[in-house]
Amino acid sequence: MTVTIKQFLQINNITTEDVAREMNISDEQLQKIFSKSVVDWPVKAINALAVITHSNPGEVLDDLQDVDFQLEIDDDAQTIQGVKIEDPAQFKQMKVGVRTTCIQGWEPTPDDIKQLLEDLNDPDTPDRKALAKLLEDDD
């Protein structure tokens, strides 16, 4: 969810003065920065927000900018979201499953794809056991 800088400050219970102090600049200078698009802010501003909110700069950017999701599937390299799937059968299976769930609104990260691959290769994970149980009950 994208929020404005005003909402971000309110949600995190911080003020522009807090951010300006962390950046070692005046509140007026900070207001000039915040009046621009987030993509034009100096890294120093994003880092200051991250320090104050005890998060990382990527999380701050995720909150403040709206980046369109893109599903990246490379059939030749057998990758989904940049994650290599060695087994061609697993790649095909995951490709179909991921595309289907993306249509339903899921926006997987590379870590999500890695977790899916791990779960697919380890049938003893709790999720796989629960799914197997559910499928058994349907018979």
Side-chain angles (χ1 to χ4, degrees), residues 70-74 77-85 91 108-111 113-114 117:
Q70 258 188 298
L71 177 60
E72 297 175 9
I73 296 177
D74 184 332
Q78 285 188 198
T79 60
I80 301 174
Q81 300 303 79
V83 177
K84 175 81 171 162
I85 296 127
F91 172 73
T109 65
D111 286 340
I113 301 302
K114 289 175 188 172
L117 187 58

Side-chain angles (χ1 to χ4, degrees), residues 51-117:
V51 167
I52 293 169
T53 59
H54 307 287
S55 58
N56 69 56
E59 292 169 329
V60 171
L61 284 172
D62 285 345
D63 288 344
L64 293 171
Q65 71 179 356
D66 190 18
V67 178
D68 292 334
F69 171 77
Q70 258 188 298
L71 177 60
E72 297 175 9
I73 296 177
D74 184 332
D75 289 324
D76 294 331
Q78 285 188 198
T79 60
I80 301 174
Q81 300 303 79
V83 177
K84 175 81 171 162
I85 296 127
E86 296 292 339
D87 183 284
Q90 282 183 336
F91 172 73
K92 186 175 180 180
Q93 180 183 17
M94 286 183 63
K95 181 172 95 169
V96 170
V98 169
R99 276 192 175 147
T100 302
T101 54
C102 284
I103 290 170
Q104 297 171 355
W106 184 46
E107 296 181 356
T109 65
D111 286 340
D112 293 330
I113 301 302
K114 289 175 188 172
Q115 185 63 52
L116 280 175
L117 187 58

Side-chain angles (χ1 to χ4, degrees), residues 1-12 38 58-69 105 107:
M1 177 178 97
T2 305
V3 297
T4 65
I5 185 59
K6 183 178 178 180
Q7 292 168 322
F8 183 88
L9 295 172
Q10 288 174 340
I11 290 167
N12 290 286
V38 174
E59 292 169 329
V60 171
L61 284 172
D62 285 345
D63 288 344
L64 293 171
Q65 71 179 356
D66 190 18
V67 178
D68 292 334
F69 171 77
E107 296 181 356

